[in-house]
Amino acid sequence: MTPSLESARVDSNALRRVLVPLALAQFICSFAGSNMNVMINDISQDLDTTVHGVQIAITIFLLVMAALMIPGGKLTDRYGRKRCLTAGLAVYGVGAVLSALAPGLPVLILGNSIFEGVGTALLIPPVYILATMLFTGVTARARAFGAINGMAGIGAATGPLIGGLITTTLSWRVAFLFQALVIVVIFVLSRRYVRDPRPPDPARPFDVRGAVLSSAGLVLVVSGVLAADNNLWLMLGLLVAGALTLVWFLHSVRAKERAGAEPLLSTALFRSRTSNLGLVTQNVQWLVLMGISFVVSAYLQVVRGYNAIETGLILTAATVGVLLASLLAERLAKRHAQRTLVLTGFAVTISGIALFLALLAVSPQVWTFLPGLFLIGLGIGAMLTPSVNVVQSSFPDALQGEISGLSRSVSNLGSSLGAAIAGTILVAGLTRTPERSYALAMVVLAVIALGGMVAAAFLPRTTPSPVR
């Protein structure tokens, strides 16, 4: 074997090892975002609080994570990608242990909502930045993002199953200890295998005012989305306030750039038509995924009377689809354009929703759920990787911190929108019977997916050069 071939093999093996902690980090954060839903009753009874109190803890977690994702991405430029990843893991791990030991709701909110929310915002942007910087070229990045996004989808889909299994057989506290254990594994692997390809710049300025404005705007927007199923006027007020705050933030960004200062987000991020369309498809993908997960989970438990474990097992059909598509991401990227994969993914997802509803109308048997859910998972899994690839590859290394934070914020907003839209339809009483509300929610999600497909149709057929 020649030295060059041996070196290439070593580099390839090293990159594969890097993917393990990065993918696991995305898995545990997605897992945390969905597994709490099946533990609400157990936690409320054990901590002598109300279901509403536990839901507040979940809401605060979403708010903290959404608010700090953009500043978290920017901090990687100043303190380094690996250092921020390590710090995020440490903060998250402390939060998981605090949650497991919580004697009451306030400590649970501190551990789960604050510490885990801050930890997620610190560790997720470095995951995507490091993958973009270490893996070059569309095919190599497809392999990396396929593994990472596959674990994201698996984490979100298996959260209810694993959380329900642990809660039913052991305790909800053990579910948080499981998270802490995974964090320890990631910490050890990242210390050993992950390297930062570019040194940090401690002298790089940080836009504190921009961070405050962007965080406040996102908190208001996400709060408005989450209030959709409770009070429409409150929702409207929060959304308007959030939009005005974000406009103020953009005005601040332009003022800083005109003055020659570095803002939290460069306006160059919004000059790429390809990236903007990619962000739209990312938002819609996570909206549809989390919306369908919410609707199907609620239907199985409320209408069919299944428990958390049975519900999680049925949803595994979607998990298998996501995993299969993720495993094929590199091979698909070699053979097809990113635009083709995103379009096909939306088409398969919409077909899956149609098949799900058609089979459910024909027979009440459990097997009727599985083909549609599998197609939905396959379609979403097929397009998660190319959408991220399109966005991240549109910018050079110098802008990776900013675009990674923005990309994750857009995806998290999509997740929040999915649950809020689905929840609003289910409680609004728009149909003659409550059961039909579930079908209506699925139809609305299919229409939204169709909108994402239209946006994907305008993506370029070839991946453009990064914006400078």
Side-chain angles (χ1 to χ4, degrees), residues 91-346:
V91 173
Y92 190 107
V94 170
V97 173
L98 277 176
S99 300
L101 301 176
L105 184 62
V107 177
L108 179 67
I109 290 176
L110 177 65
N112 175 252
S113 308
I114 306 301
F115 275 79
E116 288 193 18
V118 171
T120 301
L122 282 173
L123 72 89
I124 286 301
V127 167
Y128 288 85
I129 297 168
L130 288 166
T132 304
M133 297 174 74
L134 292 173
F135 293 83
T136 57
V138 172
T139 302
R141 284 178 181 165
R143 182 196 317 139
F145 291 135
I148 293 169
N149 284 297
M151 292 302 282
I154 291 169
T158 60
L161 173 60
I162 298 175
L165 182 63
I166 293 175
T167 301
T168 302
T169 58
L170 298 170
S171 166
W172 64 269
R173 296 179 185 274
V174 179
F176 283 105
L177 292 178
F178 167 76
Q179 293 182 44
L181 177 62
V182 175
I183 288 294
V184 171
V185 173
I186 299 168
F187 185 85
V188 172
L189 292 176
S190 63
R191 294 277 292 180
R192 184 173 181 180
Y193 297 125
V194 176
R195 62 179 178 84
D196 200 331
R198 186 159 56 93
D201 183 6
R204 191 160 183 174
F206 182 75
D207 182 7
V208 176
R209 181 171 135 184
V212 171
L213 288 175
S214 68
S215 298
L218 287 172
V219 164
L220 290 168
V221 169
V222 175
S223 297
V225 170
L226 295 172
D229 57 350
N230 295 318
N231 189 317
L232 292 180
W233 285 110
L234 177 61
M235 177 200 75
L236 183 61
L238 289 170
L239 289 177
V240 170
L244 292 175
T245 304
L246 291 176
V247 168
W248 186 7
F249 164 66
L250 293 175
H251 176 75
S252 172
V253 166
R254 293 193 184 97
K256 274 189 171 292
E257 287 188 330
R258 285 195 297 267
E262 183 177 347
L264 185 71
L265 282 180
S266 171
T267 54
L269 296 179
F270 305 100
R271 294 178 192 150
S272 170
R273 178 173 175 268
T274 300
S275 173
N276 292 340
L277 289 169
L279 289 171
V280 171
T281 62
Q282 275 188 39
N283 180 274
V284 174
Q285 288 159 21
W286 281 102
L287 186 158
V288 172
L289 175 61
M290 297 309 291
I292 290 175
S293 177
F294 182 90
V295 172
V296 176
S297 296
Y299 177 80
L300 292 174
Q301 294 178 77
V302 175
V303 177
R304 291 296 184 92
Y306 295 140
N307 61 32
I309 297 177
E310 292 168 333
T311 299
L313 284 172
I314 293 172
L315 288 171
T316 301
T319 306
V320 172
V322 171
L323 179 59
L324 179 61
S326 301
L327 292 174
L328 295 174
E330 182 180 3
R331 186 178 302 176
L332 292 172
K334 289 179 179 178
R335 299 180 179 179
H336 305 284
Q338 304 294 284
R339 172 180 177 270
T340 302
L341 295 176
V342 178
L343 280 170
T344 303
F346 275 118

